[in-house]
Amino acid sequence: MQPTTVHKKIYLSPPHLSGAEMNYIKEAFETNWIAPLGPNVDYFEKELSDYVGVKESVAVSSGTAAIHLALSLLGVGKGDIVFCSSLTFVASANPILYLGAVPVFIDSERDTWNMSPEALEAAFKEAVLTNRLPKAVVIVNLYGQPAKMDELMSICERYHTPIIEDAAESLGSKYKGKASGTFGEFGIYSFNGNKIITTSGGGMLVSNNTNAMKKARFLASQARDPAPHYQHSEIGYNYRLSNVLAGIGRSQLEVLDSRVQARRLIFQTYYEELAGLAGISFMPELENTFSNRWLTALTIDEEVSGVTTDELLAALEQENIEARPVWKPLHLQPLFNNYPYFPHKEHESVSDYLFQKGICLPSGSNMTRQEQMRVIDIIIKKVKEKNNA
Ligand SMILES: *Cc1c(COP(=O)(O)O)cnc(C)c1O
């Protein structure tokens, strides 16, 4: 069906430039630092380290590359097991396959929509029985909401397994006052165009393990041995971020706090306008955590609201508004058909429920109030129409 109006498209999460990016880019051009290294890269790494409070950061070409490096640094290789959140974007788990390792997917719980400590514990118990303990656990912080890190970390510590925190969506979020992404042995952020800040494409690996980060720089730049004649004894990657893009990142980092405030305000507005509708529940914010609210997500119980997620998504699309279902869990993806999955409870898969009932609403920090009211009006209209039918 054609859109019935010619309203400007409202995107889910478009880039939002600060306006100062060109200053850094211009400087890179004027000094001819048009390379995957240079002063913008050094400053961007330092500035991000200071912002989140880690010893070191390595800027790379994507969040996916950062996960790949983190897994490599933890020695993940062929046939090794890696536990990974199921309710996430495919990039959390693809690097496990790059290394020939075996992903085991862990369900979510309802308080954060993130990894369920119960399911993680069950997976570890089974791993002990079969003598197949994981080499690493990838914990995702979905839509900006930090996972239950205390519970998850204490389980991982008990089994001596390091954590990689996938904070691609949660830069600027906090768990008990500490920056999301800084809890594991490694953390990763993404600066893809749809994330809370962007370099058009890029990522960051962070850690307090300075030795490992030295190795990360080595692996990310083709693993060149210290010799003048280009000698290599290990597989390396070409994963460094360009100095031009790091310039965009520096400028974006300056406005990160205001982007977080804007996204939280957008959440608040949706909440105030829609939480009263029967059958609609918003993604929670766990006590003692601070979500950047990268995307506003909610579930719709059609038994109560009378509207299915598909009907609501279709109504929005018809008005040129981009909304999306919650991520399809990885254990349901054809790509990962043959890998094990541990649900929250034996007969309860929370990620399946969230996928069936959940949608993400337009949440860009540059969305105007008027645009947001358009989205809200359509949702209210649709729910009322169904209830009066
Ligand atoms: C975006 C994203 C990534 C990957 O980041 P890229 O920079 O796009 O490679 C990884 N994990 C999650 C949860 C993401 O949302």
Side-chain angles (χ1 to χ4, degrees), residues 280-347:
I280 288 189
S281 313
F282 282 81
M283 182 179 187
E285 184 174 37
L286 187 71
E287 207 180 325
N288 282 323
T289 68
F290 176 84
S291 171
N292 68 13
R293 294 289 189 192
W294 173 55
L295 295 185
T296 291
L298 52 79
T299 56
I300 304 156
D301 183 348
E302 64 174 285
E303 317 258 296
V304 183
S305 68
V307 182
T308 67
T309 54
D310 286 347
E311 285 168 341
L312 203 52
L313 290 172
L316 290 165
E317 196 187 334
Q318 218 190 329
E319 298 288 335
N320 218 11
I321 293 166
E322 185 189 21
R324 289 284 171 89
V326 161
W327 296 125
K328 179 171 183 169
L330 299 186
H331 74 275
L332 298 178
Q333 298 285 357
L335 174 64
F336 298 114
N337 247 339
N338 298 321
Y339 298 103
Y341 170 61
F342 286 84
H344 179 56
K345 299 211 170 91
E346 205 181 327
H347 299 292

Side-chain angles (χ1 to χ4, degrees), residues 140-157:
V140 177
N141 302 293
L142 202 70
Y143 303 137
Q145 170 59 47
K148 289 187 170 170
M149 292 314 294
D150 281 350
E151 291 87 340
L152 297 170
M153 283 168 70
S154 97
I155 296 168
C156 291
E157 269 162 32

Side-chain angles (χ1 to χ4, degrees), residues 61-67 87-93 140-143 166-169 188-195 201-203 294 327:
S61 51
S62 69
T64 312
I67 297 171
L87 189 59
T88 181
F89 180 50
V90 69
S92 302
V140 177
N141 302 293
L142 202 70
Y143 303 137
D166 181 343
E169 301 174 2
I188 76 96
Y189 300 106
S190 166
F191 310 116
N192 194 33
N194 60 345
K195 297 289 158 52
W294 173 55
W327 296 125

Side-chain angles (χ1 to χ4, degrees), residues 17-35:
L17 297 180
S18 76
E21 287 83 1
M22 283 312 278
N23 300 341
Y24 292 106
I25 295 174
K26 214 167 131 216
E27 192 182 307
F29 274 68
E30 279 166 5
T31 53
N32 205 31
W33 276 107
I34 313 297

